[in-house]
Amino acid sequence: MANLTIDPKKVSPVYVVEQFTAPSGIAIANGVAVRVETTTGKLLKANAATAPNAAVKGISLSNATPAGMPTTVVRKGIVNVGDALDALAFGASVFLSDTDGLLADTAGTVSTKVGEVVAGFNADAGLSPDKLLRIDL
């Protein structure tokens, strides 16, 4: 399994179908996979190492949110994650990693699909599509 390297500065929403906002239990950056802590209701980093931690609720779109502050999370939609998907083919699945908050190109211990790579055409880019992450949780 190879973790995807997501630069928080390059994460941006393209098309949001469903999102929510909740307080973070820890500092959370853009592009981090999050779950809801069952006791406090606050957001923590998700990981596929165990079933409770693999209950991913979405990808953070809040830049460097400190603990206790509101964090916006996309559950369904399309997100630009910069160059993180360059090595993957269009249609490839993206999974939750065993490492806190990260995504990967193959399933972790608890197989949790987060989304897939889709093509995004930008008028300025001509005929070469960008690789975007379609999140469906």
Side-chain angles (χ1 to χ4, degrees):
M1 168 177 41
N3 288 335
L4 302 180
T5 302
I6 297 176
D7 180 349
K9 295 175 195 157
K10 294 183 178 180
V11 175
S12 61
V14 175
Y15 179 73
V16 176
V17 176
E18 181 181 345
Q19 71 179 27
F20 70 95
T21 302
S24 59
I26 58 171
I28 296 176
N30 272 343
V32 170
V34 297
R35 64 181 176 89
V36 175
E37 204 282 321
T38 58
T39 306
T40 65
K42 293 182 178 181
L43 298 173
L44 298 176
K45 294 177 182 179
N47 69 65
T50 65
N53 289 341
V56 62
K57 298 300 180 196
I59 303 298
S60 169
L61 285 182
S62 296
N63 195 18
T65 305
M69 296 303 294
T71 300
T72 300
V73 177
V74 173
R75 288 185 50 79
K76 293 187 185 303
I78 299 174
V79 175
N80 186 338
V81 291
D83 304 331
L85 305 174
D86 283 356
L88 302 179
F90 292 109
S93 294
V94 175
F95 297 91
L96 184 63
S97 169
D98 281 352
T99 305
D100 275 352
L102 298 184
L103 302 177
D105 60 3
T106 57
T109 303
V110 178
S111 181
T112 308
K113 183 177 174 182
V114 173
E116 67 181 39
V117 180
V118 297
F121 291 89
N122 181 334
D124 296 333
L127 298 177
S128 298
D130 290 328
K131 291 184 177 178
L132 305 172
L133 177 61
R134 183 179 62 82
I135 303 165
D136 189 13
L137 297 168

